[in-house]
């Protein structure tokens, strides 16, 4: 049994938080939160004394706070060396000139190991305890990503990227055929099962068609069958940009959501990235199927061609969480993405074209708050991945971050004020310790 003593902040709903100035968070041997104990509870002192005597008590400083770990729903792991590169280019040019050549380097397993060890440590150091990863085409490299997650104590959902369309993928970086794309995906599922036999924090295989332009109908069909056969999560991109959206309409005479749905890839375990151009029909399908949206606000500024109306999705009970989208998003920090999500939502509401009259300029989509963003980063991500985590609550996985308040307080501050300062100012330097399933994670700060 481990016990963490201090102030706690957790999401209570889409727009509210639950704060406690002084609590004990009791973690059991399986890595779950057994209970939270308030100062007013009768056994507070005895639980604290027992944990201290056993050397299992962690006490936070007066300016430190315990928060749930963040969940990143969209990371292209092999793109980490390119973070911040060529973000001024159109999406298709960015892919062909920069992204695909970088991902092709992961045929070199030693290179993969070096990059992924750094990436996983960096994400953990930024408070991210669970990540939904796109890997690369090459399975040996994808296994190195899984090993890095295991070694650092991070929970990874990892997909072997399938991309077999010769018209939209380079000759030196694609699956040889639809059959090999599906067969290699199934092989990775079994290889990861083997790796999990000795892992304390299990990794999950994810069915990963890159997106509709990169895949042939045959590979999409085969991947849909695998998702059903093994009851696994699915990840892809959907309605990400004008170019991607237009490709499905031109080649299939359908929206990309309809194409993915036709092949069994929109399930209640599916997470679709971006969605800036989803229409109401798409959202109706997502809600009916239980599909989640990975909102990537920084990346969407560069490649999304629109702003995702987050408040609309929340109002319609469509699952939504946050993603950094490395390297389309330059920052590995979910904190940075919370900030951008709030800013983008305000710009969507207010409008950006000063040549229009004020009443014509904006939209009816309400801006979101830091509390909404915190919900997306924790509870929203957990619901999207069907995980019992994202809150400081009995029965939930102990995925936690200890964060130092980044700004000096010059007067008495409410917990709401402390929370907002953390959301708007915290950086990697302020994150002191990270726990995944009760285990101390190996971070870039370690």
């Amino acid at each position: 049994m481990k016990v963490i003593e201090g102030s706690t902040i957790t999401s209570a709903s889409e727009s509210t938080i639950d704060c406690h100035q002084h609590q004990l968070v009791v973690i059991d041997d399986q890595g779950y939160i057994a209970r939270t104990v308030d100062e007013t509870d009768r056994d507070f002192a005895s639980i604290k004394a027992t944990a201290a005597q056993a050397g299992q008590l962690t006490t936070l400083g007066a300016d430190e706070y315990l928060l749930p770990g963040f969940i990143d729903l969209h990371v292209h792991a092999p793109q980490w060396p390119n973070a911040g590169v060529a973000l001024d280019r159109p999406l298709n040019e960015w892919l062909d000139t920069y992204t695909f050549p970088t991902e092709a380097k992961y045929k070199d397993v030693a290179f993969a190991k070096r990059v992924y060890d750094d990436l996983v440590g960096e994400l953990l150091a930024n408070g991210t305890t669970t990540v939904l990863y796109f890997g690369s085409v090459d399975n040996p490299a994808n296994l190195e990503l899984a090993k890095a997650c295991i070694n650092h104590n991070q929970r990874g959902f990892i997909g072997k990227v399938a991309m077999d369309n010769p018209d939209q993928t380079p000759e030196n970086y694609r699956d040889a055929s639809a059959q090999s794309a599906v067969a290699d995906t199934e092989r990775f599922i079994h290889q990861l099962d083997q790796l999990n036999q000795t892992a304390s924090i299990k990794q999950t295989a994810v069915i990963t068609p890159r997106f509709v332009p990169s895949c042939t109908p045959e590979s999409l069909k085969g991947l849909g069958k695998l998702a059903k056969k093994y009851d696994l999560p699915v990840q892809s991109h959907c309605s990400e940009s004008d170019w991607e959206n237009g490709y499905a309409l031109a080649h299939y005479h359908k929206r990309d959501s309809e194409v993915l749905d036709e092949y069994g890839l929109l399930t209640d375990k599916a997470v679709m990235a971006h969605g800036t151009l989803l229409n109401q029909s798409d959202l109706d399908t997502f809600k009916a199927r239980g599909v989640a949206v990975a909102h990537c606000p920084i990346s969407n500024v560069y490649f999304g061609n629109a702003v995702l109306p987050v408040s609309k999705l929340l109002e319609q009970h469509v699952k939504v969480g946050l993603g950094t989208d490395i390297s389309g998003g330059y920052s590995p920090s979910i904190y940075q993405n919370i900030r951008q999500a709030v800013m983008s939502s305000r710009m969507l509401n207010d409008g950006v074209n000063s040549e229009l009259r004020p009443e014509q300029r904006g939209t009816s989509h309400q801006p979101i708050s830091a509390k909404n963003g915190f919900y997306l980063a924790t509870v929203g991500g957990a619901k999207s991945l069907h995980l019992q985590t994202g809150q400081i609550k009995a029965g939930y996985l102990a995925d936690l971050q200890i964060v130092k308040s980044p700004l000096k307080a010059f007067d008495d501050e409410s917990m709401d004020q402390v929370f907002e300062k953390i959301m708007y100012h915290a950086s990697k330097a302020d994150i002191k310790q990270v726990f995944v399933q009760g285990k101390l994670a190996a971070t870039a700060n370690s």
Side-chain angles (χ1 to χ4, degrees):
M1 181 186 76
K2 298 176 185 174
V3 175
I4 300 175
E5 176 189 17
S7 299
T8 63
I9 304 173
T10 190
S11 183
S13 73
E14 291 173 0
S15 57
T16 62
I17 55 173
D18 189 13
C19 304
H20 293 265
Q21 289 276 12
H22 195 191
Q23 264 194 334
L24 300 178
V25 177
V26 182
I27 302 169
D28 68 22
D29 293 338
Q30 282 71 51
Y32 284 83
I33 297 171
R35 60 180 293 204
T36 57
V37 186
D38 292 324
E39 261 189 312
T40 54
D41 291 338
R42 244 180 243 178
D43 51 355
F44 182 95
S46 62
I47 291 172
K48 177 180 174 179
T50 301
Q53 190 173 11
Q56 295 296 321
L57 178 67
T58 298
T59 300
L60 276 56
D63 59 351
E64 292 180 339
Y65 299 85
L66 188 68
L67 278 64
F70 288 154
I71 297 169
D72 192 330
L73 290 181
H74 193 54
V75 170
H76 287 272
Q79 294 176 23
W80 178 227
N82 275 5
V85 172
L87 296 179
D88 57 333
R89 305 301 177 94
L91 177 60
N92 53 333
E93 182 185 334
W94 177 82
L95 286 168
D96 293 337
T97 307
Y98 299 92
T99 302
F100 291 153
T102 297
E103 292 192 15
K105 294 179 181 179
Y106 289 78
K107 289 180 175 63
D108 180 350
V109 174
F111 179 74
K113 183 174 182 176
R114 195 164 81 249
V115 172
Y116 291 155
D117 182 68
D118 184 76
L119 170 64
V120 173
E122 184 70 22
L123 288 167
L124 282 163
N126 277 280
T128 302
T129 49
T130 298
V131 183
L132 179 54
Y133 286 110
F134 272 62
S136 66
V137 166
D138 301 292
N139 277 343
N142 296 328
L143 290 170
E144 289 302 323
L145 175 56
K147 290 174 185 175
C149 290
I150 291 167
N151 291 340
H152 285 267
N153 288 333
Q154 186 184 67
R155 185 181 302 103
F157 287 69
I158 301 165
K160 174 256 181 291
V161 170
M163 41 188 286
D164 68 312
N165 182 1
D167 294 334
Q168 293 293 326
T169 54
E171 188 174 358
N172 70 329
Y173 185 63
R174 65 170 174 250
D175 293 294
S177 66
Q179 292 75 22
S180 67
V182 174
D184 285 348
T185 297
E186 189 163 24
R187 188 172 297 112
F188 178 66
I189 293 167
H190 296 307
Q191 289 172 324
L192 197 55
D193 279 345
Q194 284 297 115
L195 203 58
N196 276 332
Q197 298 302 314
T198 54
S200 56
I201 296 177
K202 309 298 182 189
Q203 310 301 305
T204 302
V206 183
I207 305 301
T208 309
R210 189 177 200 110
F211 58 177
V212 167
S214 293
C215 297
T216 62
E218 292 77 18
S219 64
L220 292 173
K221 183 178 181 180
L223 293 169
K225 288 181 177 178
L226 281 186
K228 184 176 182 179
K229 178 180 178 180
Y230 292 99
D231 190 27
L232 286 174
V234 178
Q235 62 179 338
S236 191
H237 305 78
C238 190
S239 296
E240 172 184 5
S241 66
D242 291 328
W243 170 73
E244 182 205 325
N245 207 44
Y247 181 92
L249 292 170
H251 290 78
Y252 290 88
H253 309 293
K254 297 176 182 177
R255 295 183 60 76
D256 57 355
S257 67
E258 294 176 289
V259 176
L260 293 165
D261 193 34
E262 180 180 328
Y263 292 114
L265 293 162
L266 295 188
T267 72
D268 72 340
K269 289 189 174 181
V271 179
M272 296 291 124
H274 305 293
T276 53
L277 299 177
L278 293 169
N279 65 19
Q280 188 57 54
S281 176
D282 298 326
L283 292 177
D284 290 342
T285 300
F286 275 33
K287 183 178 177 181
R289 304 283 186 271
V291 177
V293 175
H295 178 34
C296 307
I298 291 178
S299 172
N300 290 346
V301 170
Y302 297 102
F303 299 124
N305 300 131
V307 174
L308 182 74
V310 174
S311 59
K312 178 181 178 181
L313 272 65
L314 292 175
E315 287 165 9
Q316 297 189 15
H317 305 292
V318 175
K319 290 185 293 189
V320 57
L322 284 180
T324 56
D325 192 26
I326 291 166
S327 67
Y330 59 81
S331 173
S333 168
I334 288 288
Y335 283 102
Q336 290 274 48
N337 279 274
I338 289 172
R339 294 160 201 159
Q340 185 61 54
V342 175
M343 289 189 288
S344 291
S345 76
R346 293 194 69 87
M347 294 175 78
L348 179 65
N349 180 251
D350 290 343
V352 296
N353 186 353
S354 63
E355 295 179 0
L356 296 176
R357 292 175 60 83
E359 64 270 17
Q360 299 173 319
R361 198 179 299 149
T363 71
S364 62
H365 303 302
Q366 292 302 303
I368 65 171
S369 67
K371 290 175 182 176
N372 296 137
F374 184 50
Y375 170 88
L376 298 181
T378 54
V379 180
K383 287 184 174 180
S384 298
L385 295 176
H386 295 262
L387 290 172
Q388 189 80 349
T389 190
Q391 290 177 283
I392 301 176
K393 193 173 179 180
Y396 281 59
L397 285 162
D399 300 339
L400 305 163
Q401 53 178 316
I402 296 174
V403 185
K404 183 180 183 295
S405 182
L407 295 180
K408 183 178 177 63
F410 294 97
D411 218 333
D412 287 342
E413 292 183 334
S414 69
M415 288 290 277
D416 261 27
Q417 290 172 312
V418 170
F419 164 78
E420 290 193 334
K421 286 187 174 183
I422 290 173
M423 289 301 109
Y424 282 109
H425 293 280
S427 68
K428 182 173 75 169
D430 302 306
I431 299 167
K432 300 308 177 185
Q433 286 185 308
V434 177
F435 299 87
V436 183
Q437 215 162 302
K439 296 180 180 295
L440 188 64
T443 72
N445 294 334
S446 298

